[in-house]
Amino acid sequence: MSKGRASIRDVARESGVSLTTVSLILNKGDERISDSTRQRVLSAIEKLQYRPSRLARGLPNNRSRTLAVLIPALQHAFADPYFGEIISGIYDYAADHDYRIMLEVARRDFIRRKQYDILIEECSVDGILFIGATEEHRFLAEFDGSDKPFIVVNNHFQQWKLRTVLCDYAVAGRLAADHLVELGHRRVGHISGPAAQVLTAEQVTAAFVDRLAEHGVELPDRLIVDGQFTVEMGELAMQELLTRDSELTAVFCGNDKMALGAYHACRRVGRTPGEDIAIVGCDNIPAAQMADPPLTTIHMNFYQLGTLACRTMIDLVDPVRCRRRAADEQSSDDGHNGHPESRCPRLPVSLIARGSCCEPAVGDRV
Amino acid sequence: MSKGRASIRDVARESGVSLTTVSLILNKGDERISDSTRQRVLSAIEKLQYRPSRLARGLPNNRSRTLAVLIPALQHAFADPYFGEIISGIYDYAADHDYRIMLEVARRDFIRRKQYDILIEECSVDGILFIGATEEHRFLAEFDGSDKPFIVVNNHFQQWKLRTVLCDYAVAGRLAADHLVELGHRRVGHISGPAAQVLTAEQVTAAFVDRLAEHGVELPDRLIVDGQFTVEMGELAMQELLTRDSELTAVFCGNDKMALGAYHACRRVGRTPGEDIAIVGCDNIPAAQMADPPLTTIHMNFYQLGTLACRTMIDLVDPVRCRRRAADEQSSDDGHNGHPESRCPRLPVSLIARGSCCEPAVGDRV
DNA sequence: CTGAAAGCGCTAACAT
DNA sequence: ATGTTAGCGCTTTCAG
């Protein structure tokens, strides 16, 4: 009794009930158990400063109430606002539901030794959320159609049917096209992400091109350059684009980083973004609105994406508690955007018009 | 036997030994146990694809082999290369020693509800590493002199004696002073970090000023402006500095972000960094060498800092395995920089001379 | 509405 | 060098 921290037994003794009762109160919350008993137990818990051990709690049913966030072993993955926002969303939802978040990096040996399986097998985590998966991550094949608690966040795969949560990249491409055409642009270029690696990059490009075509604007392949999602390559891509067609009046970039790189390239040849040339980005990272001029971009709610991903995962691995939660959140569809019911919900996106888009110079170009 | 995953019992049966033997092999590695038995057991493990349950393993001795990384609830803490590098270091060392990393954000209610204590009490983690602590985190008082497994990474506190691991900021300040003076600068300004919040910021400033004085160069208080560690405030600070003394030939900034902000401010008034004015940063973040001109800065090995912090923590909470590890790493002092033996080891720093420093214009200023 | 009892899978004395 | 045994702190049937 006086040794170490209080255990469930101490609480039971203190409040004059059995272990079972305490356990029941700890878990189900509602159901059985009279209010008076509950009060007694609750105050005993308070008095003894009792903290149920997660280890012991998980053992009987092999659940750790911990989720793993897996990220690729990129150089500064942790320093990326993209990952950061998603992780924040995941973390917050998890914390609110008494889940913890474990960090895992998909290093080479992590994959070779199948740590992602081990993680689950040894009950370290109840599920895995993979952010930043690309076609390079072949090991994902293993999860194809499996019922393992594995979710790919913000990418998906042609050949496999993995559980996925993502932003609506097709709409993103269309919004950009509409915006540019509305402004009067007809001579448009595009800096894409690495389409071969990332399906969403391919989709946004395809959607952009298709929508442009619907508006009667043709975007030839030679005016699409891969910017690898980085500032540096975006800059090079813009340079290339300007070489291929110096009359370009607008460019849509697959993400904000490349758009910011494009700014540099434009300036170097004396074209000012927002004045001599229109640039649209995608993602709406913090740097976008701080850029000069502020970058017009497609807003993606990565925080909410993380939230939704985490929610989907918990629904998957903890259906019991979920049902209870559902009861609590009486406000029916609360936060239920993106149709989380489907296996691949898509989060809505929107265009944020800022200063980087102008109309094409009158009579000048085109 | 056929139900669910293999347990230690299955392994014991399969290899014809007792539970103890298997357990012993799993843990101590060496010691007792004959080689033949070990082989038999090992292959049984392999054959049965046995994975010891972390939950069950931790229960008897209340150890989860998990460490928490606590970061402040800053807007984009996750998107910061500073946090990112440190976390990477922590993660890698932990992974190599079969520890997992749990993420925790010091949100208001996390602190109010003393989650940091609960984390340990409920055996979710064996220790906590706090990155980004400032004077605002008053709750740290609770750890003052306590023997809780709590380490503050890269900051320390005047009044308290918390366990700490940090870079040598005093040396950083001196290196910057030496460099600038060697180049001939005698009219120098300084953009500091928020000294009231972060003791290391105060120290680097103090060291810089003192060393300058040793060289016979005086840096009056009015030429020290707080840049709050951000690009934007750094820019404003530089602007202010230039107003207060337009003859400044050099500026030392408390971190690279502020230095990059200072670049902008200089350019706006027609002074080119590396030509008309010398700028030294601190941290050596990736953006520093990609800046134009590449930023001369004080290199801090944040990755290694993370590594050291994690090592210190594991030494603290897992002395047994540590001793065994020590035996393995026969190469005595391997990686033992910064005197990790002391309660507050300091990691060495170095100056990286790049393009942002020039000599003062001859005959022009000063 | 509550209690008794049987484990969960593993570790660590304590034998032998 | 290996086996026996008693828990670790909790959940969960199954009985009352």
Side-chain angles (χ1 to χ4, degrees), chain B residues 15-34:
Chain B
S15 46
V17 298
S18 76
L19 301 190
T20 315
T21 308
V22 180
S23 175
L24 250 27
I25 292 178
L26 247 39
N27 295 303
K28 324 283 187 168
D30 346 42
E31 289 182 73
R32 338 220 254 262
I33 313 301
S34 70

Side-chain angles (χ1 to χ4, degrees), chain A residues 169-219:
Chain A
Y169 281 90
V171 169
R174 283 184 221 125
L175 286 175
D178 290 347
H179 188 63
L180 258 15
V181 170
E182 267 165 34
L183 286 172
H185 296 277
R186 309 196 58 81
R187 195 114 171 204
V188 176
H190 176 53
I191 299 179
S192 73
Q197 307 303 316
V198 183
L199 190 51
T200 54
E202 184 184 319
Q203 289 185 315
V204 70
T205 297
F208 182 63
V209 173
D210 289 353
R211 186 61 147 234
L212 242 27
E214 287 174 29
H215 287 298
V217 175
E218 200 212 350
L219 200 176

Side-chain angles (χ1 to χ4, degrees), chain B residues 254-269:
Chain B
N255 77 359
D256 290 344
K257 287 203 219 168
M258 298 189 292
L260 264 15
Y263 270 36
H264 293 151
C266 289
R267 286 225 159 82
R268 260 218 317 280
V269 297

